Amino acid sequence: MPQHLIRKLEHFTRLSADDKRALEAAAGHRKHLVGAHQDIISEGDRPEHLNLILEGWACRYKQLEDGRRQIIAFFVPGDLFDIQAFALREMDHSIGTLTPVRLAEIHQDALLRLTDEHPRIARAFWWEAVVGVATVREWTVNLGQRTGLERIGHLLCELFIRLCAVGLVEHNSCSLPMTQVDLADATGLSNVHVNPVLQELRCSGLIVLKDRRLTIPDLAALQAVSLFNTNYLHLDREGRYFDADQG
C-alpha cells in the first residue's frame, strides 16, 4: 500500500477516495525487493517504468571514472523516481540502495492514465516535481556556501522533516541508516571531516545518533544553527484548502 506516497501528496493536494484507490491500484501490480548497496537503475540504462519506494532508503548519485561519488538526493518511503526519466533515452545518473528497498513499479501507461483521469493526482505530481527542483537548488547552496556543520545539520533537518511529512517520525526520532561515507558524499566533505562535525552536533545537544536512529531534541535549535528554512519543501501548500469532491 502506497500510504507514505498518499500522505506526502496530500500536503500538496487533498485526494479523494477514488484518487487513493487509483494510486493503490497503480502501485499494486508489480513489487520487488532490492538488496542493500545495489543499483536499482544504472547510468546508461534505459528507464522503462517509474519506481515508488515502499520501504527502505536509496540515493541518486553520479560516479566519476576514478570511483569518487557525489550523492545528489536521498529517497525515503513515499518517494517516486523518476517521472522525468520517461523523457530520457538513457539514464545520465544512477539510483542505488542504502538499505534493502521494497519497490513498486508503475509503468508509463499506468502513470499516464493516473494523470489523465485524476487531475488532483496530476496536480500533486506537479508539486512534487517543483519540490524536487527546489531541493536541487538548496543542495547547491549547501555545497557552495555553508560550513561543514551547517551542511550536515541542514541535511539532517531536511531528512527529518521529510520523514515527519510521511509519518515516519516518532518522539522526535527517525531512522537514519546511512554511513558517514554517505553523509560525506552528499555534503562534499571528507569522511575525516564528517566525524568531528557529528561529534560537535552531539556535544551541543542538537542531535542524538544511536543504533542507526536520529533524535533531534530541539528541531528549531538545529534549524537555527544550520540556517535551515523549510520553504523549499513547500509542505504547507494548497492541499488543505482543496475540496477533493471537486475536479
Side-chain angles (χ1 to χ4, degrees):
M1 298 289 285
Q3 70 270 19
H4 301 307
L5 172 64
I6 290 170
R7 185 163 182 167
K8 180 175 67 170
L9 293 182
E10 288 206 297
H11 285 280
F12 309 130
T13 301
R14 187 172 300 162
L15 301 176
S16 69
D18 189 46
D19 294 329
K20 295 174 186 178
R21 284 192 294 268
L23 283 168
E24 290 165 359
H29 290 299
R30 186 175 179 186
K31 301 174 184 176
H32 67 280
L33 184 67
V34 181
H37 311 300
Q38 297 182 28
D39 276 356
I40 298 169
I41 187 167
S42 301
E43 185 168 354
D45 290 351
R46 184 178 181 86
E48 297 179 351
H49 50 259
L50 185 71
N51 287 289
L52 165 64
I53 294 188
L54 302 174
E55 298 173 8
W57 286 55
C59 69
R60 188 197 317 273
Y61 72 92
K62 291 279 289 187
Q63 191 152 16
L64 302 181
E65 288 80 359
D66 62 4
R68 285 176 292 166
R69 179 183 66 160
Q70 179 68 49
I71 291 178
I72 305 165
F74 288 109
F75 297 113
V76 301
D79 284 341
L80 291 158
F81 57 89
D82 281 311
I83 293 178
Q84 304 94 328
F86 288 138
L88 301 177
R89 291 187 176 181
E90 66 177 42
M91 292 289 288
D92 55 21
H93 61 276
S94 300
I95 307 290
T97 60
L98 301 177
T99 68
V101 168
R102 186 165 170 260
L103 294 171
E105 295 180 358
I106 303 176
H107 284 266
Q108 185 173 9
D109 290 345
L111 177 65
L112 292 175
R113 283 196 301 273
L114 274 177
T115 54
D116 286 346
E117 298 172 6
H118 299 270
R120 285 176 295 272
I121 293 176
R123 183 186 296 136
F125 281 169
W126 184 85
W127 266 113
E128 185 181 34
V130 167
V131 171
V133 174
T135 302
V136 170
R137 288 194 293 268
E138 198 67 25
W139 278 45
T140 301
V141 175
N142 219 32
L143 291 171
Q145 295 298 326
R146 293 190 178 100
T147 66
L149 186 142
E150 290 164 355
R151 292 184 200 185
I152 297 289
H154 195 281
L155 177 59
L156 296 179
C157 285
E158 177 186 300
L159 292 170
F160 186 88
I161 289 170
R162 286 172 56 196
L163 290 167
C164 188
V166 296
L168 292 174
V169 169
E170 185 176 1
H171 304 304
N172 297 326
S173 179
C174 64
S175 174
L176 191 74
M178 62 187 64
T179 66
Q180 288 191 19
V181 172
D182 297 328
L183 286 172
D185 288 350
T187 56
L189 302 173
S190 69
N191 187 31
V192 173
H193 193 175
V194 168
N195 186 60
V197 169
L198 291 175
Q199 290 299 331
E200 183 174 353
L201 289 169
R202 284 189 179 107
C203 292
S204 301
L206 293 169
I207 66 169
V208 178
L209 282 174
K210 184 178 181 182
D211 298 330
R212 295 164 68 88
R213 290 195 66 82
L214 167 69
T215 301
I216 302 180
D218 186 342
L219 180 59
L222 183 60
Q223 287 178 286
V225 166
S226 308
L227 307 182
F228 184 89
N229 187 326
T230 61
N231 62 352
Y232 70 99
L233 296 175
H234 297 285
L235 292 174
D236 58 348
R237 296 307 304 170
E238 293 91 339
R240 57 185 167 170
Y241 303 113
F242 287 141
D243 184 347
D245 292 325
Q246 297 179 1

